[in-house]
Amino acid sequence: MEQDCFTPPLGFDAIAAYFQGDQYRSYLLIDDDKPICFAILMEIPDECELIRIGTIKESRGTGKAFHFLRKLMDYYSGRGYREMFLEVAKTNFPA
């Protein structure tokens, strides 16, 4: 799914590194039996970092990824996390 969301996509080793520790969680949004959005988060005491989030081109601008992210925020808030953040490079204009 990475290659459907990003140009250029991260390589296999870079993505696999996100699944090496217990603190990482991944989520997938499926619409009409098709994956359209994914998120990788890292849980830290009291906060979680949104490490990677991607939406396929056909689903961008539909509001589905917004609602997906809102559900993730509500879920983590309900589990006692006070903050969710995403660090973005200045050169990442789409973000």
Side-chain angles (χ1 to χ4, degrees), residues 32-92:
D32 290 330
D33 295 325
K34 181 179 180 183
I36 63 167
C37 188
F38 76 94
I40 300 172
L41 290 93
M42 181 173 61
E43 297 176 348
I44 309 165
D46 296 328
E47 62 186 25
C48 59
E49 180 176 358
L50 187 56
I51 300 288
R52 194 126 179 108
I53 186 164
T55 304
I56 62 171
K57 289 180 184 177
E58 305 85 58
S59 294
R60 294 177 189 165
T62 65
K64 293 177 182 178
F66 172 83
H67 291 290
F68 176 58
L69 185 55
R70 170 59 38 206
K71 290 283 187 185
L72 287 171
M73 292 169 68
D74 290 346
Y75 171 74
Y76 277 93
S77 177
R79 292 185 58 213
Y81 288 83
R82 295 182 302 145
E83 290 187 37
M84 179 182 286
F85 65 94
L86 169 67
E87 292 184 16
V88 178
K90 287 182 182 180
T91 56
N92 186 347

Side-chain angles (χ1 to χ4, degrees), residues 8-21:
L10 289 180
F12 177 82
D13 291 339
I15 294 172
Y18 293 132
F19 297 94
Q20 299 300 314

